Amino acid sequence: MTLQSDLLALQHSDTHLDQLRHRRAHLSERSDVQTLEATLADVDAELEKLSSRNTDLSRSQQRLEDEVASVEQKRAEVDRKLAGGTVPRELQALVDEGDSLRRRQRSLEDDLLEVMELAEPVAAQLAASQEQQRDLHGRLEVARSALSTAESTVDAELREAEAARAGAAAAIADPLLKEYERLRARLDGVAVSELVGTTCTGCHTTLAAMECERIRREPPDALVHCEPCGRIVVRP
Ligand SMILES: [Zn+2]
């Protein structure tokens, strides 16, 4: 292996690793999971609102039912006193009290009906959202499992590619490896380009014929850089 082919092999290894890492980060299974998680978060928030509204309405309903029961109890007492009463003035007072309690009860029952009408759609929405939440949990579990499988597949390829990269890097002397890494960091991951015809594959610049000739005449173990982009150029 020559210095040039060693450098090119290292570049190919790194490009392959970059592609695998990009693939791992952009797996469609990952975006499926993210979409489901976002939907689930919305449903959770909606459920919290519905649940709190449902609790408020249930409390109002309970309070009104208790009041109705208490008014009914008072009315029964008034009826009992009426049945046993004999003094006309007292009887009239009891009749008036009975009428007042009946009006109070009707008003409470109207309020109760109103609350029950409000509660009905809230309870239905709550049940629907709970069903949706269960469904999403199920789908999320499936999606997460699919993501995990897809990740494992890429991870196996990554381990292989990392081993290949370590082998390729071992062939390069340390100072040159450092320069290579610096170039890679600065130049979008591509430190080594090829001269194909008169074009640098790194920056796609067509080099002047004289420049190409100069590059080709350099000894095989000489490091040559593409002037426009600064990459290390390997040549046929
Ligand atoms: Zn170039």
Side-chain angles (χ1 to χ4, degrees), residues 36-50:
L36 284 168
E37 280 172 345
T39 311
L40 185 60
D42 288 346
V43 170
D44 284 346
E46 177 70 9
L47 258 175
E48 207 174 300
K49 269 191 265 171
L50 284 168

Side-chain angles (χ1 to χ4, degrees), residues 49-62 64-65 110-128:
K49 269 191 265 171
L50 284 168
S51 173
S52 141
R53 177 91 178 116
N54 189 54
T55 305
D56 289 348
L57 288 165
S58 294
R59 281 199 191 119
S60 297
Q61 186 174 340
Q62 188 59 56
L64 287 165
E65 279 169 354
D110 285 348
D111 290 350
L112 186 57
L113 201 64
E114 209 172 292
V115 168
M116 285 162 82
E117 274 168 5
L118 287 173
E120 202 179 329
V122 173
Q125 265 177 288
L126 189 63

Side-chain angles (χ1 to χ4, degrees), residues 167-202:
I172 312 286
D174 204 41
L176 180 53
L177 196 57
K178 286 209 171 73
E179 187 192 343
Y180 166 90
E181 294 292 7
R182 263 197 308 279
L183 285 172
R184 225 172 87 74
R186 191 160 62 80
L187 294 165
D188 224 6
V190 183
V192 178
S193 61
E194 288 175 86
L195 185 65
V196 174
T198 57
T199 304
C200 163
T201 56

Side-chain angles (χ1 to χ4, degrees), residues 193 200 202-205 226 228-231:
S193 61
C200 163
C203 61
H204 306 288
T205 305
C226 164
C229 69
R231 291 182 172 92

Side-chain angles (χ1 to χ4, degrees), residues 53-114:
R53 177 91 178 116
N54 189 54
T55 305
D56 289 348
L57 288 165
S58 294
R59 281 199 191 119
S60 297
Q61 186 174 340
Q62 188 59 56
R63 184 178 50 78
L64 287 165
E65 279 169 354
D66 290 348
E67 276 190 66
V68 168
S70 147
V71 169
E72 270 179 340
Q73 205 183 342
K74 280 182 197 156
R75 273 185 53 207
E77 218 172 293
V78 167
D79 286 346
R80 213 171 35 249
K81 283 183 190 164
L82 260 174
T86 48
V87 184
R89 199 156 47 85
E90 283 177 2
L91 287 176
Q92 186 53 51
L94 286 168
V95 168
D96 289 348
E97 197 186 346
D99 286 347
S100 158
L101 286 169
R102 253 188 296 280
R103 279 196 299 278
R104 173 80 185 129
Q105 186 174 348
R106 265 200 300 277
S107 159
L108 285 169
E109 280 168 350
D110 285 348
D111 290 350
L112 186 57
L113 201 64
E114 209 172 292

